[in-house]
Each structure stands twice: as structure tokens, then as C-alpha cells.
Amino acid sequence: MAELYRFTARTLDTPRPVPFGAVIVHSQTGERLVRATNAVSKEHDPSSHAEVRTVRLGCKKLRRCSLDGYTMYSTCEPCPMCMANALWAGLDRVVFGATIADANRHCRQIQIPAKEVAGRSDMKCIVQGPVLRGLCNTLFTHPNMQKAFAAWSSRK
């Protein structure tokens, strides 16, 4: 999670900072498969969340629709869309840093916890978190991120 934090924090000094990053690693070896940050603004695509992007990239890299045998780490608790995507991809586990409630202090969120989404599914995926919550929360409170949130909230 600390490595993912550092990867995501690099966006804070760019024109499009984001606090959301994700990485997928092999569950047994820890070997990184793919990582990505949120690209909603960059790609003009509301589904370009970091978690969805890593699933897309991971499946493409493995040339299969299943990520069975892999774990996703995310700087923030996956929203319902992202958690559903993780379930459909067959990830073994999802580990998150900040919570949906933490993110909601700064930007809009759908208030359904990832564990609830997983629990209402017949697909199995362990959901763990928060892990390094305080560290991941600093991604939201960085001054450049605060300016970006102000710009996000003024868009229609």
C-alpha cells in the first residue's frame, strides 16, 4: 500500500492530480501485474476509475477475462461500480486505504461500502481495509488536490 501511495502521490504535482490509485498483484508472489490512477478527467470517461482501469489492463495483459489468483490494492475503498467490476473479474481479494466516507468529505461518492457489495454477491472476494488509512487520506488533503476538488465541484 505504501508503494501504491507513492505512485499515486506523483500525480499531485501534475495538472490533473488524483487521489485514487490501484495496483493488481499476484496473490501468492506479490508480483505486480498492473497499476493505474483515476483518469476520468483525462479520458472524459466517468468509468475510468483506477480500479476499473487496472482490471481492464490486467485482463488485457493476461489475455483473459479472469483475474483469479490476483489481489487489488486501492488507495481508497472501491465504489460500487469498481467493487462489482472486481467481483466480475474474479479477484481473490481487494485491500483499500481510505474509506468511502473519507473520500466523501472531498468529493461525491455512492455510500455503499465495498464489503456490502461483495456480501450481496454470489461471487467470492475478500475485502480488507482500511489499511494505512491516514497515509492514504493525505492524498485527499494535499493543497493541489484541494484545488482540483474545487474545480471538480464547479463542473456540470
Side-chain angles (χ1 to χ4, degrees):
M1 187 66 77
E3 179 185 328
L4 176 59
Y5 164 83
R6 288 188 295 275
F7 170 73
T8 307
R10 292 190 308 199
T11 73
L12 297 175
D13 292 320
T14 69
R16 288 193 172 122
V18 292
F20 306 104
V23 63
I24 295 176
V25 301
H26 191 273
S27 295
Q28 298 298 316
T29 67
E31 180 181 341
R32 183 176 69 220
L33 178 64
V34 292
R35 65 184 177 184
T37 57
N38 179 301
V40 168
S41 179
K42 178 181 175 185
E43 296 177 0
H44 307 288
D45 179 352
S47 70
S48 286
H49 291 199
E51 299 91 342
V52 170
R53 292 182 75 223
T54 57
V55 167
R56 288 176 184 157
L57 292 167
C59 288
K60 188 176 272 192
K61 186 172 184 174
L62 294 175
R63 301 174 59 90
R64 64 181 202 210
C65 294
S66 172
L67 292 174
D68 181 50
Y70 288 86
T71 295
M72 175 189 291
Y73 290 85
S74 178
T75 58
C76 188
E77 183 175 3
C79 73
M81 174 184 69
C82 292
M83 190 62 223
N85 190 48
L87 290 165
W88 285 112
L91 284 163
D92 296 344
R93 186 168 62 125
V94 171
V95 181
F96 65 86
T99 66
I100 288 173
D102 296 331
N104 191 231
R105 288 188 197 94
H106 307 280
C107 57
R108 297 179 304 164
Q109 294 293 311
I110 299 172
Q111 302 291 324
I112 303 172
K115 288 179 184 175
E116 183 176 337
V117 174
R120 295 176 117 197
S121 167
D122 62 357
M123 296 171 264
K124 299 294 177 204
C125 180
I126 297 165
V127 179
Q128 295 177 306
V131 173
L132 296 181
R133 182 180 185 182
L135 181 64
C136 291
N137 265 316
T138 66
L139 294 166
F140 293 98
T141 59
H142 188 279
N144 291 345
M145 195 64 245
Q146 289 293 302
K147 289 177 192 169
F149 285 138
W152 292 2
S153 65
S154 68
R155 287 189 300 210
K156 296 211 180 205

